[in-house]
Amino acid sequence: MKIYWYGDWHHTGYGRASRQFVRHLAVDKQHDVAVFAVNWYGHPYDRLRYPVEAWPVSNPYSDNDWLGREHMAKVVRADKPDVLIVLNDAFHFMGGLGVDLHEACLAAGTRLILSFPVDCYQVPASWLQFPKLADDAVVWNETARETIARTDPALAKRLRVVPLGIEPEWFQPTSSGIASNIRSQLIKGPKKYLVVCVNRNCARKDWARTLCVAAEVIRQRPEVAFYFHTQTIGAAYGQIMEPIHEMAETLGLTVGLDYDTLDSAPHNWHEVAMRGLYAAADVY
């Protein structure tokens, strides 16, 4: 069976999920698997662990399709895969882009599967256009299905719930010494407790609200420090980054005391060290 996967192929949350799903699809060698790799520009990856071909599709210089959706539709029409699996936000396929991909799958005889997150209280109806076009639409928990039911009860009834799962080889208990070392770097002065937030810096993560909550927590509990595992400088996968430091300063938060970020913290967080970060947190 020829299976094409569309999703992040980078060290994002979506990227981790894509790599694990794709690895399990390809490992038994019964399927011909290839990846439309979003937010990946050709740097090396472990081809023994992930025995698939990855094709860069992102174009951060494109005015209207930096995620490579139009290109994907053209390839589907030409290659006619048996299945196309999309793991991404449904709102990226609103309007003509979603319709065009749906029509490309129909023309190619390709089954279209969409796996998408729901991380808001009320889902706009326009975001649900593409899930309704998919042959199978998948959400990651029952809360997502219940949220969609407030907007579109009929769609909610046919949604499938498939959790993303975990990676026990990476995210596992770690020694108290590692956690203590991390806490000593992030908890300074009068601070006693550490709250950790791991999120990409982009508009959909609503950093303004996060920082407002952090400021209120510190106002009530000044012994709390926050660590925001996110970038505040550089490119953000084709999107404008939120000015975290400027917003934090406006709210009265002091970098290096009340909070740190990925670029201001003294620790260089390798992927392996993330398990220590989770262990170090009092609240995640």
Side-chain angles (χ1 to χ4, degrees):
M1 180 180 292
K2 183 186 291 187
I3 301 174
Y4 285 0
W5 183 282
Y6 174 91
D8 279 23
W9 199 242
H10 195 266
H11 294 302
T12 63
Y14 289 171
R16 300 201 70 91
S18 289
R19 287 179 181 231
Q20 289 302 317
F21 278 116
V22 167
R23 179 167 69 94
H24 288 289
L25 286 171
V27 72
D28 61 5
K29 303 185 185 304
Q30 294 183 13
H31 305 299
D32 178 12
V33 183
V35 178
F36 293 102
V38 182
N39 296 324
W40 178 75
Y41 300 96
H43 54 269
Y45 61 94
D46 188 342
R47 291 178 178 267
L48 293 178
R49 184 173 176 80
Y50 308 104
V52 299
E53 287 298 319
W55 306 323
V57 295
S58 293
N59 180 6
Y61 304 104
S62 173
D63 290 334
N64 63 346
D65 191 27
W66 66 274
L67 289 171
R69 294 151 296 188
E70 292 180 351
H71 175 69
M72 175 173 57
K74 293 176 182 178
V75 174
V76 167
R77 290 179 187 273
D79 286 5
K80 297 179 172 56
D82 297 291
V83 180
L84 171 65
I85 304 173
V86 174
L87 191 152
N88 213 298
D89 296 284
F91 58 72
H92 283 316
F93 293 86
M94 293 189 300
L97 288 168
V99 172
D100 184 49
L101 181 57
H102 171 64
E103 291 179 348
C105 288
L106 287 177
T110 299
R111 188 169 190 85
L112 175 59
I113 301 173
L114 170 66
S115 179
F116 68 105
V118 177
D119 49 8
C120 56
Y121 178 76
Q122 188 73 38
V123 182
S126 59
W127 292 11
L128 300 178
Q129 173 196 15
F130 190 54
K132 289 194 286 188
L133 292 174
D135 294 297
D136 294 291
V138 177
V139 292
W140 303 338
N141 50 57
E142 286 293 341
T143 301
R145 189 208 300 270
E146 293 167 4
T147 301
I148 287 175
R150 289 195 284 267
T151 301
D152 193 324
L155 173 62
K157 289 181 180 179
R158 74 175 188 89
L159 291 173
R160 301 181 65 183
V161 176
V162 180
L164 291 183
I166 60 172
E167 294 178 278
E169 67 267 36
W170 288 108
F171 301 110
Q172 56 186 267
T174 188
S175 73
S176 59
I178 294 174
S180 297
N181 180 50
I182 293 173
R183 288 177 67 86
S184 69
Q185 297 180 57
L186 298 177
I187 301 176
K188 310 178 186 74
K191 302 296 185 178
K192 298 179 180 178
Y193 304 104
L194 180 63
V195 178
V196 172
C197 175
V198 180
N199 263 326
R200 183 189 302 186
N201 187 343
C202 59
R204 64 182 290 270
K205 299 297 184 179
D206 201 356
W207 277 101
R209 186 187 301 269
T210 299
L211 291 167
C212 285
V213 171
E216 180 60 22
V217 169
I218 290 174
R219 186 187 69 80
Q220 297 184 32
R221 299 292 299 269
E223 69 272 27
V224 173
F226 282 79
Y227 173 66
F228 304 122
H229 188 76
T230 194
Q231 291 179 290
T232 61
I233 56 177
Y237 310 104
Q239 302 178 54
I240 298 174
M241 280 193 171
E242 298 292 293
I244 287 177
H245 290 306
E246 290 82 354
M247 290 191 293
E249 183 179 3
T250 299
L251 292 164
L253 300 178
T254 302
V255 64
L257 178 63
D258 294 321
Y259 78 98
D260 274 300
T261 62
L262 183 60
D263 50 275
S264 70
H267 200 291
N268 180 21
W269 296 111
H270 185 272
E271 187 176 45
V272 179
M274 289 299 294
R275 69 184 68 159
L277 176 63
Y278 294 128
D282 295 297
V283 177
Y284 169 70

